[in-house]
Amino acid sequence: MYLHNTATRHKDEFTPQNPQNVTMYCCGPTVYNFAHIGNLRTYIFEDLLARTIRLRHPLTHVMNVTDVGHLVSDADDGEDKMELGAAREGKSAWDIAKFYEEKFWADYDALHCTRPTVVSRATKHIKEMIALVKTLEDKGYTYRTSDGIYYDTSKFDRYDSLVGHARISGLQGGARVEMSDEKRNPTDFALWKFSPKDKKRQMEWDSPWGVGFPGWHIECSAMAMKYLGHTLDIHCGGIDHVTIHHTNEIAQSEAATGKKYVNYWVHGEFLILRSGKMSKSGGTFVTVDVLKEKGYDPLAYRYLCLSAHYRTQLEFSYESMDSAAKSLKNLRALAVQAKQSAAAQETEKSKAWKEKFTAAMEDDLNAPKALALVWEAVRSAELSAAEKVDFLTFADGILALDLFKEEAAPKADIPAQVQALLDARAAARKAKEWKKSDELRDEIARAGYLVKDTPQGQQVEKK
Ligand code: AMP
Ligand code: ZN
């Protein structure tokens, strides 16, 4: 397999340390709000990577859940997003984390992303984070300011290894303007923040340096190394994390262990809106629920993501959603047609198609090419229905688009509460409780629907 490695800036052949256990860490959601479909694009690409690796190797896939410490600015300024979420909704930060994490997994599952082997919550790993900061302190990489313990990036000479010297200098120049007097270098970052003196935080812990909370970057290093060892095969995330978050993860992990932290850094490009960035803080975001409310199958969004390479920006629009939904519907109809006429059978020909498909996915996850092969196969005169079903079953193990799903006949758009009244009325009529049946008919009418009794049962229409 070949993967584009951000650290080397080219496509490298992927060689795991232990082919019997590939290790992969993915930065997880900050659970202070709904995940938007941009965030979910990143998880879809990571899922494609996980599924492709699993064709040849067992994989340990770790994902964190950031439920503390991610400040409004990735560069350690502003308030903690969790505490902000709590203030916004009048709930506790713990309740906010629980609610949005549950919602996150529902969206993740709806898009057929495979659950990670290990899910690690930041608030459950404070001990490991403190231990890592202590190691960095003992090795002389830290200093204290009035608001926390900071990492001195000038002490780590490979600080620019992920992004290159030019970009780090640019970053330093930009950061200098807002730099607090106490920071020694513009790129220095907080490892441990003290709780403010004038305000009680909801999430805070004791530490050797005083009561406070961990920095956002330290959480990923501490949890990744706890579950996967000092050197990971693969670390993923969105492209926005390259310059600050992942650069800082390398600095703190490698300074602490003296070993290379990650062999392959794999980053996904952004989903954007025509009007600009999709952002949670800006309030301009689309969620899986919004897509569902508009009548889309969430897998049509997965289809849309697969139709663009993970390293190219993808512009979201409802026109492109419509065309993805239509393509998925047509593809499923052809797959179902093949399945209705024959059972899967593996032959030399279907094997050759599986190999072509695998080669596309193993070429830096070329999902658009893999998807094109699937289209070619369903239309091909060269493959029998049995061979098509065999190939499509294999391809769907990676694409996860429910290719053999039969489209249900369109249902009248009846709200759940009206449907419950209709069910109750059907039961009343069966029990010959005519008075109750009439009362329910009136109640259904008050909810805006007309019910008629026909030989086929109740028929309902909007008034
Ligand atoms: P967050 O919940 O903000 O910590 O982000 C979760 C993941 O989504 C990270 O890997 C981000 O890099 C990624 N991400 C954020 N915005 C976008 C976007 N518009 N498109 C694709 N990925 C994104
Ligand atoms: Zn992270």
Side-chain angles (χ1 to χ4, degrees), residues 119-138:
V119 173
S120 57
R121 284 182 199 93
T123 49
K124 293 246 179 319
H125 295 79
I126 303 295
K127 194 169 65 86
E128 288 83 351
M129 297 179 212
I130 291 177
L132 190 54
V133 179
K134 192 87 193 54
T135 305
L136 292 169
E137 182 178 51
D138 293 345

Side-chain angles (χ1 to χ4, degrees), residues 25-28 64 216 219-220 235 241 245-246 249:
Y25 183 88
C26 301
C27 290
N64 68 305
W216 169 47
E219 79 168 66
C220 284
H235 193 317
H241 286 345
H245 185 48
H246 291 164
E249 274 191 61

